[in-house]
Amino acid sequence: MKPVKIYTTNYCGFCVRAKDLLKRKGVDYEEVDVTGNDEARARLVEMSGGQRTVPQIFIGDTHVGGYTDLAQLDRDGRLDPMLQG
């Protein structure tokens, strides 16, 4: 399974939803909390092509987007193949 990294803050409802979706699917992920961490937030903005909102989710080297993007991939049946690579 490809590694999954999710950038979050501690006050983000969509972050909780994204983590719950991944947990329900049995996906291990690395969480990077950018709450109050300007350096980590700056790296996130750079890696995501300018996105400042959280969550921002990466599967392997692919930037998936936020929770709604992740949920849409799952509804479309494209998330599992992406995770498998």
Side-chain angles (χ1 to χ4, degrees), residues 33-67:
D33 186 346
V34 298
T35 306
N37 186 333
D38 293 338
E39 184 179 316
R41 180 74 76 148
R43 278 195 312 273
L44 168 61
V45 170
E46 183 179 321
M47 292 181 347
S48 67
Q51 298 297 313
R52 299 191 57 77
T53 59
V54 290
Q56 291 299 320
I57 303 154
F58 294 81
I59 298 175
D61 293 330
T62 303
H63 176 234
V64 171
Y67 166 71

Side-chain angles (χ1 to χ4, degrees), residues 8 16 23 28 32 37-39 42 54 68 71 85:
T8 65
V16 172
K23 285 177 192 171
D28 292 327
V32 179
N37 186 333
D38 293 338
E39 184 179 316
V54 290
T68 54

